[in-house]
Amino acid sequence: MTYWLQELQQKRWEYCNNLDAAKRDSRTSPTPSDFSKGLVAKDNPDLSILSQNASAERARNILAVETSPTDLVGEQAASQPAPVQPSAINFSLKQWSTEIKNSMSSLRKGNNENRKSIFYTTEEWELLDPTPKDLEDSMALEEKRKHLAEGSKGLTSSAFPFDFGRIPHKTRRPLKDMIGSSKNRNSSDSSPTEWYSGNGNKLVSELQLKYQSQQEELEKLKKDLLSQKELVRLLQQTVRSSQYDKYFASRLCEGVPKDKLELLHQKDDQILGLNNQLEKLNLEKDSLQQEVKNLKCKVGELNERLGMLMETIQAKDEVIMKLSRQLSECEDNTASQSGAVNSSMVTCTNKELQELDRLKDNLQGYKTQNKFLNKEILELSALRRNAEAREREWQAKYTSLEAKLCQIESKYLILLQEMKTPVCSEEQSPAREVITQLLEDALKAETSEQPEQAFFKPHLVSEYDIYGFQTVPEDDDEEKLVAKSRALDLRSLSLSENREISTGVKWENYLASTMNREMMRCVELKNLIRSGIPHEHRSKIWKWCVNLHVKKFKDSTIPGYFQTLLHNALEKQNPASKQIELDLLRTLPNNKHYSSPTSEGIQKLRNVLLAFSWRNPDIGYCQGLNRLVAIALLYLEQEDAFWCLVTIVEVFMPRDYYTKTLLGSQVDQRVFKDLMSEKLPRLHAHFEQYKVDYTLITFNWFLVVFVDSVVSDILFKIWDSFLYEGPKVIFRFALALFKYKEEEILKLQDSMSIFKYLRYFTRTILDARKLTAIAFGDLNPFPLRQIRNRRTYHLEKVRLELTELEAIREDFLRERETCVEKRDLISDDEEDS
């Protein structure tokens, strides 16, 4: 909620600041959006922004409530289902988490300490020796644990203290092991699945290892003994055989030489040595046998001691089991007595903690609200001061305007009185001075040299409109007066209209609906374009319309096609370049983007016309193309303006529309005459009666699509529909212009006044809504097939007439060559050449 309130607060602050900075320039004054294309996009409107209160901004930043929502907020949160609300109003998220913590702490008070006496395992129960404090805590909370112990009986995992009923008998260990392990467990937590360990276990393991090593050594000695026995047996046989040999040798060989006797003595010595070795081995054998007997005695003693230790452990286990059962019985008895007292104490403590958390949460909430309300008070004070400042400014402006209105009314009354009853001659009449002063005041340029007057004077008519066109010309005073009067009428019309807001909203909604998809031709889009494209979206829509019509041309060209054409036109000789240069500054001299050679639009205009002349050498350049490109460049970049010209010349208009003969333009004037006789028969008959050729006026309308013929607001609305629907729009608006002023034209009763009126009457039409309603409503039906059929019909007639004119011209030239009297006649074209 705080996040949403801050967002609303920020939006209100931005809106009020924008309201202070708003400048009502014209009814289509550009919004502070970012235009991406065209010359108009680079114009930044001068906004008279009031200076913001710096101290208020600093205070707003200091008092800003720090909220960085981690969950969904804004539109994402709005799209989510509504959360389930708690029953209590003040039960916030913080209190919710506190309640969960308190509930968990009430189930396991003491946290880690309690875990020393209660275990949750998935295999077997295990004993962990509790401290006296643990025993007291477990007794105090036995009431809360009782239902857990009862619910877990008979299950694989349970929570009951000091119960060994689930431990198999064969896995029980001596009490000495548990005593040794419990000493280490008092200083640090042990694993809940650790079994008995102690000195007895270590001693038994050492004895078993020693016994195994001695058994291996005994086996080795036995093998050595067997080998020695075999060796002794062999030696005994050798001794016996040697004694036998000696006996026979002494008897049979008494006469043997000394060397043989010496050899016999050596053999005897060897026999004696072997006998001595045999005796030593026998002694070693006896000692080893004695050692083996001693080891067997020791192993027997150790086995007896091990059996005694196992019996002692088993007895002590039984004692511990008995004591554990007695302890559990005592706990059951005492729990019934002290459970109620302890539970009430725990409940009271939990309630106090909950109340404390609730108060802390409320305190934090009040602090946040206080901060937010302080910021709100500060913002409202700043907004009130801004509103008061605006009110003072408006009051000053109103007072200034009222004073000026009184002065003007006084002067006009004097003027009217003088006109009604002149009292002096014309030379001495004060009316001349009054009129001169009024004209000077009306045509006085609005400058910033007098800031105190400029502050109070409303900015009704600026020097240039949003398209860059001059609103008041500089040369002719009479034309200045008419132009300023027209600009004031436009301003008054825009102030009295409120439809532009709804049109802008419709465009915003449509563009938002096409954000994730391409725009397509549809009835909704056509109606929106007919009502006028907003200034900030015109660049985008024009580019889309042009691409829609020239897609087939673009697909068949290479990348960088425009730059290639421009490079060729600049590098190579171009017959149209001379005429293009002559017409650049004559294109739109009343537009600031084309008013001087250094204007940004001049170079872009030159580039587009040169590139097109190189693309279409049949046309090259025709006067009128420069104005089409100049209008396109106001909202499009160079390449897009080039394709816009291709759309008009090669897609919309018939062939030979912009060639030297202007054949297509002449045909359209005859088609327009037919439509005039059909749609506006009274006006057509009026022109025929006084022999007024109005096609001399309308010819330029068709050739340059009303450029310099209507006011700029109407011109761009015509171009909006023209780029979307095609050339039929030109016929519609041409007829609508005549229908708009039909009654005024019918009142004129001579050809000169009619023709003079036709030259400027389009500049007096200011109501674009009414003109659009006539063009697209009153003139229906308006089928394009009818225009095409009439074009085909008149095309043949115009071609036949041009052929006849060419034949007459050739006959005249031939006759002039043959006739001596006519040889001196020279036509204007020949004289110029």
Side-chain angles (χ1 to χ4, degrees):
M1 186 179 67
T2 305
Y3 175 80
W4 279 90
L5 286 175
Q6 284 189 104
E7 289 297 311
L8 291 173
Q9 195 180 55
Q10 182 66 23
K11 292 294 182 184
R12 183 190 61 195
W13 183 262
E14 293 174 358
Y15 171 77
C16 292
N17 286 335
N18 292 335
L19 186 64
D20 293 336
K23 176 184 177 184
R24 300 169 67 182
D25 221 359
S26 64
R27 63 176 159 173
T28 55
S29 93
T31 58
S33 57
D34 184 17
F35 309 128
S36 57
K37 305 290 181 184
L39 296 170
V40 176
K42 297 176 175 58
D43 292 338
N44 295 321
D46 299 327
L47 298 178
S48 56
I49 303 176
L50 294 177
S51 60
Q52 298 181 358
N53 194 335
S55 61
E57 286 291 342
R58 286 196 300 272
R60 287 183 72 253
N61 295 331
I62 294 173
L63 293 175
V65 181
E66 295 180 0
T67 54
S68 55
T70 56
D71 299 327
L72 295 178
V73 295
E75 296 180 358
Q76 297 177 350
S79 62
Q80 297 296 320
V84 179
Q85 299 293 334
S87 58
I89 298 177
N90 292 329
F91 196 72
S92 63
L93 292 177
K94 183 178 179 181
Q95 293 173 342
W96 189 13
S97 63
T98 305
E99 290 293 329
I100 295 174
K101 292 178 181 178
N102 293 335
S103 300
M104 295 303 295
S105 64
S106 66
L107 292 177
R108 49 180 182 85
K109 187 172 182 61
N111 295 333
N112 293 334
E113 291 82 6
N114 199 29
R115 291 170 58 188
K116 294 182 180 179
S117 57
I118 298 179
F119 304 96
Y120 294 85
T121 63
T122 57
E123 296 295 334
E124 298 171 337
W125 298 342
E126 177 188 1
L127 171 66
L128 288 180
D129 296 341
T131 61
K133 183 180 179 181
D134 296 335
L135 293 176
E136 292 175 2
D137 293 338
S138 62
M139 291 175 66
L141 296 176
E142 183 61 28
E143 183 67 22
K144 292 187 176 294
R145 298 199 309 269
K146 188 174 181 180
H147 66 280
L148 295 175
E150 291 175 354
S152 60
K153 286 181 180 179
L155 298 176
T156 303
S157 70
S158 62
F160 194 85
F162 314 117
D163 193 355
F164 290 86
R166 304 281 306 234
I167 301 177
H169 178 73
K170 62 181 180 179
T171 61
R172 295 174 186 172
R173 304 221 175 173
L175 185 61
K176 194 172 184 180
D177 297 349
M178 295 185 290
I179 294 173
S181 62
S182 65
K183 290 179 181 178
N184 297 327
R185 196 176 298 119
N186 289 331
S187 59
S188 61
D189 292 339
S190 304
S191 173
T193 58
E194 203 174 67
W195 295 98
Y196 311 121
S197 64
N199 297 331
N201 191 13
K202 294 179 181 179
L203 181 59
V204 171
S205 61
E206 291 176 0
L207 291 175
Q208 286 179 352
L209 291 174
K210 188 174 182 181
Y211 175 74
Q212 290 177 1
S213 63
Q214 289 179 353
Q215 286 286 350
E216 292 175 357
E217 187 177 356
L218 181 61
E219 292 295 331
K220 185 178 180 181
L221 290 174
K222 284 181 180 181
K223 291 180 181 180
D224 293 340
L225 181 61
L226 290 177
S227 62
Q228 293 295 332
K229 284 182 178 181
E230 184 66 23
L231 180 60
V232 169
R233 188 181 62 79
L234 293 175
L235 289 175
Q236 286 177 352
Q237 289 179 359
T238 305
V239 169
R240 283 195 296 270
S241 63
S242 63
Q243 288 179 353
Y244 182 77
D245 291 340
K246 181 181 178 182
Y247 174 76
F248 283 98
S250 61
R251 290 197 178 261
L252 296 178
C253 301
E254 292 179 354
V256 177
K258 290 183 178 182
D259 53 351
K260 299 292 184 180
L261 292 175
E262 291 177 359
L263 180 61
L264 290 174
H265 288 301
Q266 290 178 358
K267 293 292 183 179
D268 291 338
D269 293 335
Q270 291 179 357
I271 291 170
L272 290 175
L274 290 174
N275 287 329
N276 295 329
Q277 190 176 0
L278 178 60
E279 290 177 359
K280 291 179 181 179
L281 292 174
N282 288 329
L283 293 174
E284 290 178 0
K285 173 187 174 185
D286 294 336
S287 65
L288 290 174
Q289 287 177 353
Q290 186 64 30
E291 189 176 357
V292 168
K293 289 179 181 180
N294 295 333
L295 290 174
K296 285 182 178 180
C297 291
K298 288 182 180 180
V299 170
E301 293 176 358
L302 291 174
N303 287 331
E304 290 178 0
R305 290 178 63 186
L306 181 61
M308 292 174 63
L309 288 173
M310 293 296 294
E311 291 176 359
T312 304
I313 290 172
Q314 185 175 357
K316 292 184 177 182
D317 286 345
E318 292 176 357
V319 173
I320 291 173
M321 294 286 293
K322 183 178 179 180
L323 292 175
S324 298
R325 285 193 291 271
Q326 291 178 359
L327 180 61
S328 62
E329 291 174 359
C330 293
E331 288 178 351
D332 293 338
N333 294 330
T334 56
S336 60
Q337 299 175 1
S338 62
V341 178
N342 293 330
S343 61
S344 62
M345 292 176 62
V346 171
T347 304
C348 294
T349 304
N350 290 337
K351 287 183 178 179
E352 290 176 356
L353 291 175
Q354 292 176 8
E355 183 67 18
L356 181 61
D357 290 335
R358 187 182 66 80
L359 292 175
K360 288 181 179 179
D361 188 57
N362 289 340
L363 178 60
Q364 185 64 30
Y366 287 137
K367 286 182 179 179
T368 304
Q369 290 179 5
N370 186 30
K371 207 171 186 180
F372 176 79
L373 291 175
N374 288 336
K375 181 182 176 184
E376 180 73 8
I377 292 171
L378 178 66
E379 285 196 6
L380 290 176
S381 300
L383 295 177
R384 180 181 58 81
R385 287 193 298 271
N386 292 340
E388 290 176 353
R390 284 198 303 270
E391 185 178 358
R392 287 193 298 269
E393 292 171 10
W394 291 341
Q395 186 67 29
K397 290 180 181 179
Y398 169 74
T399 304
S400 175
L401 290 175
E402 189 175 12
K404 187 174 181 180
L405 178 62
C406 292
Q407 295 174 6
I408 293 175
E409 285 184 352
S410 174
K411 293 176 182 179
Y412 275 111
L413 288 176
I414 295 173
L415 179 62
L416 292 175
Q417 180 67 24
E418 178 63 23
M419 290 297 179
K420 181 178 180 182
T421 57
V423 295
C424 302
S425 61
E426 186 177 357
E427 291 77 7
Q428 301 175 352
S429 173
R432 181 179 297 275
E433 298 179 1
V434 173
I435 294 173
T436 303
Q437 185 63 37
L438 287 174
L439 289 176
E440 290 178 358
D441 293 342
L443 297 176
K444 188 180 295 182
E446 297 175 359
T447 62
S448 58
E449 296 176 358
Q450 299 172 339
E452 65 279 358
Q453 295 182 5
F455 179 77
F456 295 109
K457 188 174 183 180
H459 194 69
L460 296 178
V461 179
S462 59
E463 185 179 0
Y464 296 96
D465 61 10
I466 59 172
Y467 312 105
F469 290 100
Q470 267 187 335
T471 54
V472 179
E474 298 178 354
D475 46 6
D476 188 5
D477 288 343
E478 183 178 355
E479 183 64 24
K480 272 186 179 183
L481 190 63
V482 174
K484 187 157 186 178
S485 174
R486 183 166 58 244
L488 289 171
D489 289 339
L490 276 173
R491 182 64 175 164
S492 174
L493 188 64
S494 66
L495 291 175
S496 61
E497 285 185 356
N498 295 322
R499 188 177 176 182
E500 291 294 335
I501 299 177
S502 62
T503 303
V505 171
K506 290 179 181 179
W507 270 104
E508 293 291 343
N509 294 336
Y510 176 78
L511 293 176
S513 67
T514 60
M515 186 177 298
N516 297 324
R517 60 182 177 87
E518 293 184 1
M519 288 193 298
M520 303 293 292
R521 296 178 72 107
C522 59
V523 177
E524 179 186 6
L525 180 59
K526 182 172 72 172
N527 292 332
L528 282 175
I529 291 177
R530 285 181 174 183
S531 64
I533 303 173
H535 182 79
E536 58 269 22
H537 302 307
R538 184 167 282 137
S539 172
K540 176 182 177 181
I541 303 301
W542 277 21
K543 182 178 179 180
W544 177 80
C545 292
V546 169
N547 291 334
L548 183 69
H549 295 297
V550 296
K551 189 176 185 300
K552 59 180 180 179
F553 294 109
K554 278 191 170 183
D555 293 341
S556 61
T557 58
I558 60 175
Y561 176 67
F562 170 75
Q563 297 297 333
T564 303
L565 291 176
L566 180 58
H567 178 74
N568 293 334
L570 293 174
E571 294 294 330
K572 301 177 182 179
Q573 186 176 2
N574 189 352
S577 59
K578 183 178 179 180
Q579 189 60 42
I580 290 174
E581 290 296 330
L582 292 175
D583 287 346
L584 286 177
L585 293 177
R586 295 185 294 187
T587 302
L588 293 177
N590 59 337
N591 191 290
K592 65 181 180 180
H593 301 294
Y594 307 99
S595 58
S596 66
T598 58
S599 299
E600 184 180 3
I602 292 296
Q603 182 58 42
K604 292 184 176 182
L605 180 62
R606 179 187 294 111
N607 293 341
V608 175
L609 292 175
L610 287 175
F612 181 80
S613 66
W614 198 262
R615 169 186 168 84
N616 196 331
D618 292 340
I619 297 176
Y621 171 74
C622 172
Q623 288 184 343
L625 298 182
N626 55 337
R627 295 189 175 187
L628 298 176
V629 175
I631 295 298
L633 281 172
L634 291 177
Y635 283 99
L636 300 175
E637 291 297 337
Q638 292 186 70
E639 186 171 356
D640 297 324
F642 165 78
W643 287 111
C644 180
L645 184 61
V646 172
T647 301
I648 296 173
V649 176
E650 301 182 15
V651 179
F652 287 166
M653 300 304 187
R655 291 186 61 184
D656 299 328
Y657 210 90
Y658 294 98
T659 55
K660 293 180 179 180
T661 60
L662 299 176
L663 179 63
S665 301
Q666 297 182 50
V667 170
D668 272 359
Q669 295 310 304
R670 301 197 180 193
V671 174
F672 182 67
K673 274 190 173 182
D674 293 346
L675 293 175
M676 280 284 290
S677 63
E678 178 183 341
K679 301 291 183 181
L680 302 173
R682 293 172 56 214
L683 193 58
H684 178 72
H686 188 68
F687 288 144
E688 292 293 329
Q689 177 183 355
Y690 294 100
K691 295 181 174 54
V692 175
D693 187 6
Y694 53 87
T695 58
L696 298 176
I697 303 297
T698 60
F699 184 83
N700 195 53
W701 297 359
F702 283 75
L703 194 66
V704 297
V705 195
F706 298 100
V707 178
D708 272 346
S709 298
V710 294
V711 295
S712 55
D713 284 346
I714 294 178
L715 171 66
F716 285 96
K717 282 183 169 56
I718 294 175
W719 271 66
D720 293 340
S721 301
F722 171 67
L723 291 178
Y724 181 76
E725 299 185 46
K728 183 173 70 171
V729 172
I730 304 177
F731 290 96
R732 281 185 177 274
F733 276 97
L735 292 171
L737 288 171
F738 280 111
K739 186 172 180 60
Y740 194 103
K741 293 291 185 178
E742 182 178 14
E743 298 301 327
E744 286 80 354
I745 297 174
L746 290 176
K747 293 177 183 179
L748 303 176
Q749 300 299 321
D750 62 277
S751 58
M752 290 299 296
S753 59
I754 293 175
F755 195 79
K756 183 179 180 180
Y757 183 76
L758 292 181
R759 292 181 60 185
Y760 72 88
F761 84 99
T762 55
R763 308 290 298 182
T764 64
I765 298 176
L766 307 177
D767 193 346
R769 279 200 312 167
K770 181 179 178 181
L771 183 66
T772 303
I774 295 173
F776 295 109
D778 298 349
L779 297 177
N780 286 332
F782 210 90
L784 183 61
R785 183 182 304 174
Q786 180 184 8
I787 295 176
R788 290 174 178 171
N789 293 337
R790 291 178 184 270
R791 274 177 171 171
T792 304
Y793 170 74
H794 287 291
L795 180 62
E796 297 299 327
K797 292 182 65 176
V798 172
R799 282 179 176 171
L800 182 61
E801 291 176 2
L802 290 177
T803 303
E804 293 177 354
L805 288 175
E806 186 65 22
I808 293 173
R809 181 175 179 276
E810 291 178 356
D811 292 342
F812 174 76
L813 293 176
R814 208 168 26 250
E815 184 180 355
R816 190 183 67 177
E817 292 295 331
T818 56
C819 182
V820 179
E821 297 178 355
K822 293 183 179 181
R823 284 183 181 179
D824 297 333
L825 296 176
I826 300 176
S827 65
D828 295 338
D829 296 338
E830 292 175 347
E831 186 176 3
D832 294 338
S833 61

